[in-house]
Amino acid sequence: MKMRKLMTLALAVIASMAVQAQVMKSADLEKYAKEKYGDKWLDAAANLAEGITLDKNQSLTYQQVIPAPGKNKQQLYVMLNYWATATFKDKQAITLNDKEAGCIIISSTIQNIVEHTGTLNSYSVSITPVIRIDIKDEKVRITYTVQNYDIMADISGGWLALRESDKKTYGDSKRKAEDKTNANLYDEQWEIAKHYPFVPKDSQKRTCAKALVMTHAYSNAIIDKVEEAIKNGLVGNEDEDW
């Protein structure tokens, strides 16, 4: 009977970890963003920009200190290390894990947060936030930073098909629709500070408006997940009484 209970508990832990293996899928992130900011991306981005100050590196950075009363540095480190390793399955995602310093740094790509078809080109936008978690007794500071949008561009995927004689080649470093190159390799990087809404007259403003809103929404999702892990642990049963 005891063994059966242990196996049931183990399966529950594994199931919970599988659910949390990704903070949020792109489709769920879009739904979350629409619920919080509406589906008029240009307006939502402009409204968000009023409260955003880019950091000294012209990056989009959010920082929040989360109180953790009654939990010491070691307890918090174990809890958040557990959360990070269970959430980000890519072995390369955790770039720093320093127990003594109380610091965990995560860099994980969220693919295809925006897919937009323009007049001549279509774009797929991914982001690679750098998430830094600093841990002290009874408090945690989380810093979320994104500097660029990673762009895969399809030069023949717009609403108006280019004439055959006008079509570009792979030498232009932009993708054709049939290109099956590794999705982790990007054609372009657009600096956030140089695009809408920080630059009002932007030829990619519709793509970048949604990208900003989705990037902002993902920061909220990350901070919410860390706060939840601090308060309740990853699976809700990590306590000292066992």
Side-chain angles (χ1 to χ4, degrees):
M1 181 64 71
K2 185 176 181 180
M3 181 60 70
R4 183 178 297 176
K5 287 183 178 179
L6 287 172
M7 290 179 65
T8 301
L9 177 60
L11 288 171
V13 171
I14 291 168
S16 178
M17 288 174 66
V19 168
Q20 302 219 20
Q22 185 175 346
V23 172
M24 189 174 286
K25 294 179 181 178
S26 295
D28 295 331
L29 180 61
E30 181 166 343
K31 181 180 178 182
Y32 175 80
K34 286 180 178 179
E35 288 173 351
K36 289 183 72 70
Y37 309 111
D39 59 0
K40 295 182 178 179
W41 304 112
L42 291 172
D43 293 342
N47 291 336
L48 286 174
E50 292 179 0
I52 292 174
T53 301
L54 298 175
D55 68 18
K56 66 180 182 179
N57 298 314
Q58 296 296 287
S59 299
L60 189 64
T61 295
Y62 303 94
Q63 191 171 82
Q64 183 169 322
V65 176
I66 303 171
K71 295 183 174 72
N72 63 34
K73 179 180 175 180
Q74 181 176 344
Q75 289 172 316
L76 289 168
Y77 172 82
V78 170
M79 191 177 297
L80 290 171
N81 181 54
Y82 184 22
W83 172 81
T85 54
T87 300
F88 299 93
K89 292 296 188 179
D90 179 1
K91 293 181 180 179
Q92 307 302 318
I94 300 175
T95 59
L96 178 68
N97 197 337
D98 191 325
K99 182 177 182 180
E100 186 174 338
C103 183
I104 301 169
I105 298 179
I106 303 159
S107 180
S108 181
T109 298
I110 314 303
Q111 293 187 341
N112 306 326
I113 62 166
V114 178
E115 292 183 337
H116 179 250
T117 301
T119 305
L120 298 177
N121 302 328
S122 63
Y123 302 101
S124 176
V125 183
S126 300
I127 56 172
T128 304
V130 177
I131 303 159
R132 174 171 176 148
I133 303 173
D134 292 297
I135 305 163
K136 293 185 177 181
D137 289 342
E138 298 195 324
K139 61 182 177 181
V140 172
R141 182 179 67 188
I142 179 166
T143 306
Y144 169 102
T145 301
V146 182
Q147 186 171 31
N148 303 305
Y149 301 129
D150 296 320
I151 307 299
M152 289 196 296
D154 177 1
I155 62 173
S156 57
W159 292 112
L160 297 178
L162 292 172
R163 291 177 303 171
E164 192 66 32
S165 60
D166 292 335
K167 287 189 176 182
K168 301 180 183 180
T169 68
Y170 288 105
D172 297 293
S173 298
K174 293 185 179 181
R175 296 173 191 266
K176 301 272 190 172
E178 66 273 15
D179 186 8
K180 302 300 181 182
T181 307
N182 186 336
N184 290 315
L185 301 177
Y186 300 103
D187 301 312
E188 303 170 358
Q189 285 190 319
W190 295 351
E191 294 181 43
I192 292 175
K194 295 181 179 179
H195 287 273
Y196 186 85
F198 305 104
V199 176
K201 293 183 178 179
D202 178 14
S203 60
Q204 288 92 21
K205 68 187 300 182
R206 294 188 179 278
T207 303
C208 291
K210 185 174 180 181
L212 178 74
V213 177
M214 295 285 276
T215 301
H216 182 86
Y218 189 67
S219 76
N220 289 342
I222 287 285
I223 292 170
D224 287 349
K225 293 292 186 181
V226 171
E227 189 167 13
E228 175 67 20
I230 290 169
K231 290 181 177 178
N232 302 313
L234 181 64
V235 295
N237 61 1
E238 300 95 338
D239 57 45
E240 299 299 325
D241 185 16
W242 57 277

